[in-house]
Structures are given as structure tokens and as C-alpha cells.
Amino acid sequence: MMFVVDYDNIANSERQLGVEHVVRKMLRLCEAEIPADVSRVEVRLYGGWYERGSLTRIAQKISADLAQYSPISHQCQVGRRILATVALASSLLADPATLVDNTFRSRSAPKNILCKSQPWVKCSNPSRCPSSDVHAFMTSGCSEANCSVSHADVLERGEQKVVDTMMVADLIEYSTRASAHIAIVSRDDDIWPGINMAAQRARAVIHLVPTGGASLPAYYQSVRRSAYKQIDWR
């Protein structure tokens, strides 16, 4: 059995408790759905792990945790034990020798970012607010003469790329294997085609839906019901 996990979809409050906590919670939520003859599962964590061939800082931390905790032994309530091997998903199941690079990318801040007018609602001292300098810079750029630096030159944002596509590809690949059982942790709508395809082929697809305030679209109900089951991450 394989767990396909979009790690960024798990609440930060849970991720801060560490990989071992996250994996044990997944196993606890899914243990009733894990076949009785399965004693080992594979957990693949997907995210922005690589930038220009190097592990990102968060990936380095997770790797250090995995070196300490993986494999993770989980004692089920019914008395059996499940052993979970956990790894960062750095390549496709169909092509394990090829690194999927640049899954994390730094981008410049959008040029249309605006700063709200002062005074700000929660400001305790509007006349001497140190954030006024931020407002001035965001509004007019650098105050130094002959300097053309703007907020777009200073700010940047990080984003994941290719991750959802990797997950879909691996869902489809794994679903072709004999007696495939799959658990997926994701609330991203982009993953639906992969879930739908996997449910057509796999014995079972268990969808752990992280709490995010929004329910899944109605068309998830069209997934083959005999193979697909939703479980709330709670």
C-alpha cells in the first residue's frame, strides 16, 4: 500500500510536530482501511524539495527527521503492527533514476501589490507607527535620490511547481500494480483527475482530506464508489 501525501496541504500546526507525528496520524486515521494482509506501507511526501539541484531548507529538515524515524512502527488498535517507510518524493515511480528538480522556485513579488492607506485599523500608535516606512516604500519606492529600487526588486515569494503533476503521475502508475491500495492526502482540486483514474484501476483509494474550510467539489461523487472513500483529517 502506498500513501501519496501533499505535505503542504497538512496544517502548519501539525507539521510543526514533526514527520513522525504526521505519519502516525495518517496511519491511525486509515488503519481500518489497510488490508489485513498488509504489514508494510510506503509513504511518499510531495513538496517543493529541490531548487537547482539542491535540497531546500525544509527538505533538509525533513530528511534529518526521516533519518531518525523512518521506518515508523505503528501499533493498530486491533493488535497488529504496521511498518511505514517514509521518503521525500524526488522522482517519479515510473522513472526513479531521474530527479524531478526545481519543485521549489523563487519568484519576484507581483508588481500590482498595494499598501493600504494609513491609519491601519489595528495600529496602536498611528502618529508614530514604524510601519509608516513600509507604506512609504511600497507607495513610492526608495527615498534615496537617484535610486529606482521598488518593492518588486526587494520582495520575493516561493512556490511549488510540478508537485501536483508528480502526484497524478504516481497515482496512475501505482494503480496499475496488482491489488493496489492507495491513500492520498490532498485538498487540491488539481489532483482530482489522478484520483479518478486511480479509482478506475486500484482495489481501493482512500482520500484523506485535510481540513481547510472548503468542501470538495460535487464531481468527486462521480469517482467509482466501490473503490473510493473519503476520510476527514481531524
Side-chain angles (χ1 to χ4, degrees):
M1 183 172 183
M2 185 177 74
F3 283 71
V4 174
V5 184
D6 189 333
Y7 203 62
D8 272 5
N9 275 193
I10 297 170
N12 187 54
S13 59
E14 302 246 36
R15 283 183 279 131
Q16 287 179 340
L17 297 175
V19 176
E20 184 185 22
H21 163 80
V22 171
V23 172
R24 289 191 184 281
K25 183 165 184 176
M26 286 190 301
L27 294 174
R28 177 175 59 80
L29 290 172
C30 290
E31 64 181 43
E33 309 300 329
I34 298 175
D37 60 345
V38 171
S39 60
R40 291 176 176 269
V41 299
E42 178 183 359
V43 180
R44 287 169 61 85
L45 306 179
Y46 295 75
W49 306 142
Y50 282 88
E51 184 176 21
R52 298 175 184 175
S54 298
L55 283 172
T56 59
R57 283 182 295 178
I58 183 63
Q60 291 176 35
K61 182 181 184 306
I62 293 175
S63 294
D65 287 346
L66 294 180
Q68 181 178 359
Y69 294 119
S70 183
I72 294 172
S73 179
H74 171 70
Q75 182 67 49
C76 300
Q77 292 182 354
V78 296
R80 65 179 174 139
R81 189 178 296 275
I82 302 292
L83 196 66
T85 301
V86 191
L88 298 179
S90 58
S91 60
L92 296 175
L93 284 174
D95 184 15
T98 302
L99 172 70
V100 179
D101 199 0
N102 292 318
T103 49
F104 179 86
R105 303 179 195 180
S106 297
R107 302 293 195 191
S108 298
K111 295 182 179 180
N112 60 350
I113 289 181
L114 302 176
C115 195
K116 292 183 178 179
S117 299
Q118 295 176 280
W120 297 303
V121 175
K122 296 181 180 180
C123 185
S124 61
N125 190 358
S127 64
R128 301 182 60 187
C129 181
S131 297
S132 296
D133 291 339
V134 176
H135 179 271
F137 176 72
M138 293 291 289
T139 303
S140 306
C142 183
S143 60
E144 289 292 321
N146 301 319
C147 182
S148 60
V149 170
S150 69
H151 75 274
D153 301 309
V154 175
L155 303 177
E156 67 177 10
R157 57 190 172 90
E159 63 180 7
Q160 288 187 172
K161 298 295 290 184
V162 192
V163 173
D164 286 345
T165 310
M166 283 185 67
M167 294 175 67
V168 168
D170 283 352
L171 281 170
I172 295 172
E173 166 67 20
Y174 194 81
S175 70
T176 63
R177 302 183 182 184
S179 302
H181 285 73
I182 304 170
I184 179 168
V185 181
S186 175
R187 65 171 179 267
D188 287 350
D189 199 27
D190 290 344
I191 208 74
W192 177 78
I195 292 175
N196 191 30
M197 179 64 76
Q200 306 304 316
R201 300 175 175 180
R203 290 285 298 276
V205 176
I206 310 304
H207 189 183
L208 275 167
V209 185
T211 54
S215 59
L216 292 174
Y219 51 73
Y220 273 83
Q221 301 304 316
S222 66
V223 178
R224 185 165 69 94
R225 305 309 299 166
S226 60
Y228 176 71
K229 181 176 181 178
Q230 289 180 16
I231 298 177
D232 289 334
W233 181 287
R234 57 189 184 278

